[in-house]
Amino acid sequence: MIESYATEAATFLIGIGAGIVIRAKLWWKNKTAEERKSFVYEILQSLEDGKITTVEAKALLKKHL
């Protein structure tokens, strides 16, 4: 009977751990997607303001994305 509780507890903890890992991966993926959007927006804004040329913008996008 004690072994049964130990198995259930271990399974529960493994499930919680897996859930935390999956949630962290999703959070990191969303964070990096937001950073990419922000980066592209900054490049477009710089192009609009005339701070960089299209060649420089293409080079930045190719290098970082």
Side-chain angles (χ1 to χ4, degrees):
M1 183 148 172
I2 292 175
E3 291 175 4
S4 175
Y5 290 130
T7 304
E8 287 178 19
T11 303
F12 176 75
L13 292 174
I14 289 170
I16 294 292
I20 291 171
V21 168
I22 290 169
R23 185 68 190 139
K25 281 184 161 187
L26 290 173
W27 173 80
W28 184 255
K29 181 180 175 184
N30 290 339
K31 182 180 179 205
T32 55
E34 287 298 319
E35 288 174 350
R36 279 187 245 135
K37 287 179 188 175
S38 175
F39 178 69
V40 170
Y41 178 76
E42 287 178 24
I43 289 177
L44 291 174
Q45 196 66 34
S46 295
L47 274 170
E48 191 176 281
D49 295 342
K51 294 179 182 176
I52 61 174
T53 65
T54 55
V55 174
E56 292 170 328
K58 285 180 183 178
L60 283 170
L61 289 170
K62 189 177 283 186
K63 181 178 178 182
H64 295 287
L65 300 178

